[in-house]
Amino acid sequence: MAKISAGSAPFDPFVAAQVLGPEAPPISERGTFAYLRGHLFGSVPQVLLTLFGAWLVYVTIPPMIQFFITDAVWSGTNREACLPDKVGRAVGACWPFIWAKFDQLVYGFYPAAERWRVNIVYALGAVLLLPLLIQSLPYKRLNAIAFFGVYPVVAFILLTGGDMEPKGFLLSWLGLGGLFSGFPAVGGLQLGFWADYILSAILVTALAAFVCRAVAGPEAMRPAIRSTLVTFAVLAAVLFAADIDLGLAPVETRLWGGLLVTLVIAVTGITVSLPFGILLALGRRSNLPLVKIASIAFIEFWRGVPLITVLFFATYMLPLFLPGRLTIDGLLRALVGVALFASAYMAEVVRGGLQAIPKGQYEGAMAVGLRSSLMMRLVVLPQALKLVIPGIVNNFIGLFKDTTLVLIVSIFDLLGAMRAAFTDPNWATPTTLFTGFGFAGIVYFVFCFGMSRYSMALERRLDRARRH
Amino acid sequence: MTADAIIADVEKGAPEIAVSMSGVNKWYGEFHVLRDINLTVHKGERLVICGPSGSGKSTLIRCINRLEEHQKGKIVVDGIELTDDLKRIDEVRREVGMCFQHFNLFPHLTILENCTLAPMWVRKMPKKEAEDLAMHFLEKVKIPHQAAKYPGQLSGGQQQRVAIARALCMRPRIMLFDEPTSALDPEMVKEVLDTMVALAEDGMTMLCVTHEMGFARQVANRVIFMDAGQIIEMNEPNAFFSNPQHERTRLFLSQILH
């Protein structure tokens, strides 16, 4: 190689004489003083920002403490306790109003004698959910089955009272209801329905087996029969539990209200939207054109309409289109609307995560022989979902707060129950409104902040894998 | 060997043949990336494939486990012809291990889990057995003590050795290497090459896309030179390096062997 001969400056050859060990950083880089200088008072703009921040804290926090705590009234039996004239001082929050309306805020118009059922649902939910969220506790699989599989059924039965008296299954729906009309009910069980159910199960299984045989050959028949029967068996267990008469008084959903409705809608929306959103996101990236188009159409439709429109449509217009004898519970309609709406948003968040996974991960998974379903489940989705935890939780929080919109279709969630409580002349005081909204705000904040903190902890824990 | 002779071999289904490609052509859109590839690899053979960037050498070996699809010609791997049939593709991928330039380890799984994933889910091996197998191969690539760490905590050379162990856990009969050392710091190249040499000594059938000519001299039975989608020259290593026949090969070798 040609010698490069620029006139290099003279230098002394050098060889390190000893190995240098690590030392602590200089004192000026550590401690309170360095922190203050570095982060709060480093430069003129920084000083101004610090002062502005301090001023903001000064004008917001002390008045809030004054209103909600120091000037607040903590006990009383009616509005008299919170009227400044009667008390003889400035009055802040009127907490006795909240105490007096507390049951209404938590249960709505749920009959007082039956509220123990709601309490059991709350307690059971907490008992099952908490250990699921704490990573170090064992039996995650069992716990998940209990929470996602068994709990919704138990909650449904407890809240509605069960014994839902289904009229007919597939065959009746196809116009063959006359076959089963003479059957009696035993212990709350509609025998006519169950006869219909068993016949339908047999027919559908046979049909599935036939189709699979025609499409994929005889060896596909056995798994098809097995999975169809398992599906029917699981559905039967759920329906059986819902149909049997346990002696619980039925409570219509229009009596439900307050925090109960907020939680029912939010928890259902959250637990449905994530799996459904994942399926939609995978569908949107599918190679099968039909699946892809269907997913895109679904997502774009639900993202394109406002939630209020969805709720309004489901509540007031859907009944006009349905055949006369078919009525769907009002709360259920809102639930389905919210869940589908949330799923569409979730799908786009998950798709963002899927797109961030490099091609090499797919190739690595394929090269070790993983089929595409396993590749998605074991390699791609775990990484994609981890990436979009902030977006997922963002959706959860948004959904939790959007539940307040059900107010416009006359479903009284926490905020609705609160507004109903405002109308009570017995508690008409100058600060009732502020107290009520303040309290509702605190309740929403506690739930949303809880979700936010949990997601941050989850991110930190999962992040170990990426750190060096 | 002529194309006809290869096709005859393939049709006989000669048991000693690991991979045979006859008349293989592939296009990326309009770009003709593989042009009439005819190649037979016998069991236990070690091939090194080199050539300038864009010559189709990676595409060639990626066709062998169907990471890329060929449009014309016939590829038979371990007696299984590669077609659109997903079952056959799965079968081939179970028998063929692969190491990539960028390792492609699964970052959300520990080293041990990376190695046990496929045996457990594809071969339905019990967890304990899969872990024993994984530890066996991790010892073989000399990193058993890193089993509980995540890929991001390992150096590039260590990651590539894990990738080799991960592939070996599926007990493949053929190993493909796609530039396994070209993303590594110079200090780490040797540890990976040593692992590959050890693998070669165990009699593994190997196809390596690499520019490590020392490795080629040491272990290869044959060296293949590709350019513009075509196999230009194929010879045993000594002859290939000391006496390249084709003009293009000579130019290439003069560029990389200073």
Side-chain angles (χ1 to χ4, degrees):
Chain A
M1 200 181 279
K3 200 149 187 144
I4 300 165
S5 55
S8 81
F11 66 95
D12 296 326
F14 168 77
V15 178
Q18 83 248 32
V19 177
L20 300 174
E23 280 176 23
I27 198 83
S28 62
E29 299 296 314
R30 294 177 292 168
T32 325
F33 179 73
Y35 180 85
L36 286 179
R37 202 189 56 190
H39 297 267
L40 296 177
F41 301 106
S43 62
V44 174
Q46 217 173 14
V47 170
L48 289 177
L49 276 178
T50 304
L51 291 176
F52 178 68
W55 176 76
L56 270 186
V57 169
Y58 173 75
V59 296
T60 52
I61 302 296
M64 275 173 70
I65 291 174
Q66 194 184 9
F67 181 83
F68 283 114
I69 298 171
T70 51
D71 279 357
V73 174
W74 294 91
S75 60
T77 50
N78 57 31
R79 64 195 290 263
E80 308 273 307
C82 299
L83 292 176
D85 309 349
K86 307 274 178 188
V87 185
R89 63 172 171 92
V91 168
C94 182
W95 292 118
F97 162 70
I98 300 293
W99 313 149
K101 299 291 178 190
F102 192 76
D103 280 2
Q104 191 185 332
L105 297 177
V106 174
Y107 305 102
F109 300 108
Y110 209 90
E114 306 294 334
R115 285 181 183 167
W116 59 272
R117 281 152 54 178
V118 182
N119 291 338
I120 292 182
V121 170
Y122 282 152
L124 201 58
V127 165
L128 288 176
L129 183 60
L130 283 179
L132 199 59
L133 297 182
I134 300 170
Q135 175 68 11
S136 56
L137 295 179
Y139 305 117
K140 278 282 173 291
R141 199 185 166 84
L142 205 65
N143 198 336
I145 293 174
F147 184 76
F148 294 106
V150 181
Y151 177 65
V153 180
V154 173
F156 173 81
I157 293 166
L158 277 172
L159 292 177
T160 61
D163 191 17
M164 62 176 194
E165 301 186 357
K167 293 289 181 293
F169 199 62
L170 273 184
L171 295 178
S172 306
W173 188 70
L174 291 171
L176 299 170
L179 288 174
F180 312 106
S181 57
F183 286 73
V186 177
L189 293 177
Q190 307 291 315
L191 293 187
F193 168 81
W194 288 100
D196 186 349
Y197 187 87
I198 291 165
L199 265 179
S200 305
I202 293 168
L203 286 176
V204 171
T205 309
L207 190 70
F210 179 75
V211 170
C212 281
R213 191 195 164 91
V215 174
E219 72 269 23
M221 251 171 69
R222 191 178 284 271
I225 291 176
R226 196 183 322 133
S227 52
T228 319
L229 283 180
V230 167
T231 312
F232 269 105
V234 171
L235 185 62
V238 171
L239 289 173
F240 183 82
D243 189 19
I244 199 167
D245 186 2
L246 294 168
L248 296 171
V251 180
E252 284 182 68
T253 55
R254 55 187 182 80
L255 296 177
W256 302 12
L259 188 64
L260 173 63
V261 161
T262 296
L263 287 180
V264 165
I265 298 176
V267 171
T268 313
I270 285 172
T271 43
V272 171
S273 69
L274 186 58
F276 210 56
I278 291 172
L279 288 180
L280 282 169
L282 292 175
R284 191 165 186 166
R285 286 168 58 86
S286 166
N287 292 325
L288 308 169
L290 263 182
V291 174
K292 185 173 180 154
I293 290 171
S295 304
I296 292 178
F298 184 95
I299 293 169
E300 295 305 333
F301 173 78
W302 288 99
R303 282 204 310 168
V305 290
L307 182 54
I308 288 188
T309 319
V310 173
L311 292 172
F312 217 77
F313 187 88
T315 309
Y316 298 119
M317 295 180 66
L318 201 58
L320 302 179
F321 299 127
L322 291 175
R325 63 194 176 89
L326 194 62
T327 54
I328 303 173
D329 182 83
L331 181 64
L332 181 65
R333 273 179 284 174
L335 269 181
V336 172
V338 168
L340 295 182
F341 187 82
S343 303
Y345 276 86
M346 194 58 78
E348 288 299 279
V349 172
V350 173
R351 189 166 69 97
L354 289 175
Q355 274 171 351
I357 303 303
K359 195 158 149 266
Q361 289 295 308
Y362 292 85
E363 290 180 349
M366 284 192 276
V368 291
L370 292 173
R371 268 177 295 114
S372 60
S373 55
L374 284 175
M375 171 176 79
M376 281 295 167
R377 197 173 116 202
L378 301 171
V379 176
V380 178
L381 275 176
Q383 296 184 60
L385 292 180
K386 193 196 105 179
L387 281 176
V388 293
I389 287 174
I392 291 176
V393 175
N394 203 20
N395 269 17
F396 285 171
I397 289 175
L399 173 66
F400 192 89
K401 292 187 296 185
D402 280 351
T403 58
T404 52
L405 292 175
V406 297
L407 185 63
I408 66 133
V409 291
S410 311
I411 296 173
F412 288 89
D413 72 327
L414 178 60
L415 213 57
M418 184 66 79
R419 293 179 69 114
F422 289 154
T423 58
D424 182 356
N426 199 21
W427 284 101
T429 74
T431 57
T432 303
L433 215 59
F434 302 115
T435 312
F437 281 125
F439 178 74
I442 291 168
V443 172
Y444 280 105
F445 181 80
V446 166
F447 279 100
C448 295
F449 190 62
M451 282 193 264
S452 162
R453 296 304 302 189
Y454 181 73
S455 86
M456 282 162 74
L458 192 66
E459 275 177 66
R460 259 199 306 280
R461 197 180 75 219
L462 293 176
D463 215 29
R464 277 183 324 197
R466 290 249 184 201
R467 290 285 147 255
H468 293 268
Chain B
M1 203 186 279
T2 65
D4 290 340
I6 291 169
I7 291 166
D9 259 357
V10 172
E11 250 123 61
K12 272 188 296 183
E16 71 277 11
I17 290 181
V19 181
S20 73
M21 306 175 97
S22 52
V24 172
N25 280 274
K26 176 171 175 60
W27 290 262
Y28 286 129
E30 290 289 306
F31 180 57
H32 198 172
V33 58
L34 291 182
R35 303 179 187 177
D36 193 31
I37 302 289
N38 294 294
L39 177 68
T40 305
V41 183
H42 292 262
K43 289 194 173 148
E45 255 198 311
R46 296 169 302 274
L47 261 65
V48 163
I49 303 166
C50 58
S53 127
S55 59
K57 49 196 192 311
S58 285
T59 310
L60 174 78
I61 68 163
R62 287 156 60 89
C63 280
I64 294 171
N65 65 351
R66 196 72 170 187
L67 289 184
E68 303 286 355
E69 209 173 298
H70 61 286
Q71 278 108 25
K72 233 175 100 184
K74 188 166 175 179
I75 302 179
V76 180
V77 181
D78 207 31
I80 307 161
E81 188 186 345
L82 278 170
T83 61
D84 286 335
D85 186 349
L86 289 175
K87 255 187 199 153
R88 291 194 195 181
I89 296 174
D90 281 344
E91 258 176 82
V92 165
R93 285 179 183 163
R94 280 198 290 270
E95 305 304 331
V96 178
M98 184 161 192
C99 291
F100 300 86
Q101 182 177 8
H102 296 288
F103 331 133
N104 297 356
L105 293 175
F106 308 132
H108 62 301
L109 299 177
T110 63
I111 299 306
L112 189 65
E113 288 165 342
N114 262 279
C115 294
T116 57
L117 189 75
M120 280 169 63
W121 289 90
V122 180
R123 294 231 190 268
K124 311 276 181 229
M125 199 182 273
K127 188 175 179 194
K128 182 77 188 58
E129 204 179 310
E131 285 180 348
D132 289 345
L133 184 72
M135 286 313 290
H136 169 76
F137 284 114
L138 285 174
E139 265 159 41
K140 222 159 181 178
V141 301
K142 303 196 176 69
I143 23 182
H145 46 284
Q146 313 274 28
K149 288 191 182 167
Y150 286 92
Q153 295 166 303
L154 267 54
S155 73
Q158 289 173 324
Q159 289 193 48
Q160 193 58 290
R161 286 187 282 150
V162 171
I164 294 173
R166 177 178 76 175
L168 292 177
C169 282
M170 283 296 283
R171 300 261 179 193
R173 300 187 202 189
I174 302 162
M175 281 289 288
L176 309 175
F177 293 87
D178 189 359
E179 307 206 26
T181 56
S182 49
L184 297 177
D185 286 343
E187 275 187 310
M188 296 169 181
V189 169
K190 186 170 181 299
E191 63 186 58
V192 171
L193 290 181
D194 285 349
T195 311
M196 290 168 65
V197 170
L199 199 57
E201 282 165 356
D202 287 349
M204 176 66 77
T205 309
M206 294 163 70
L207 281 88
C208 313
V209 172
T210 181
H211 294 141
E212 295 297 335
M213 293 305 147
F215 172 78
R217 275 181 209 273
Q218 193 182 348
V219 306
N221 305 97
R222 271 192 279 168
V223 180
I224 291 175
F225 176 73
M226 285 185 75
D227 185 37
Q230 213 182 333
I231 295 180
I232 299 280
E233 188 160 353
M234 171 158 71
N235 212 334
E236 56 93 19
N238 276 331
F240 179 85
F241 290 113
S242 58
N243 189 17
Q245 299 297 310
H246 198 282
E247 178 60 28
R248 186 68 187 86
T249 319
R250 276 199 288 263
L251 181 66
F252 178 77
L253 288 177
S254 74
Q255 294 291 338
I256 62 166
L257 306 168
H258 318 284

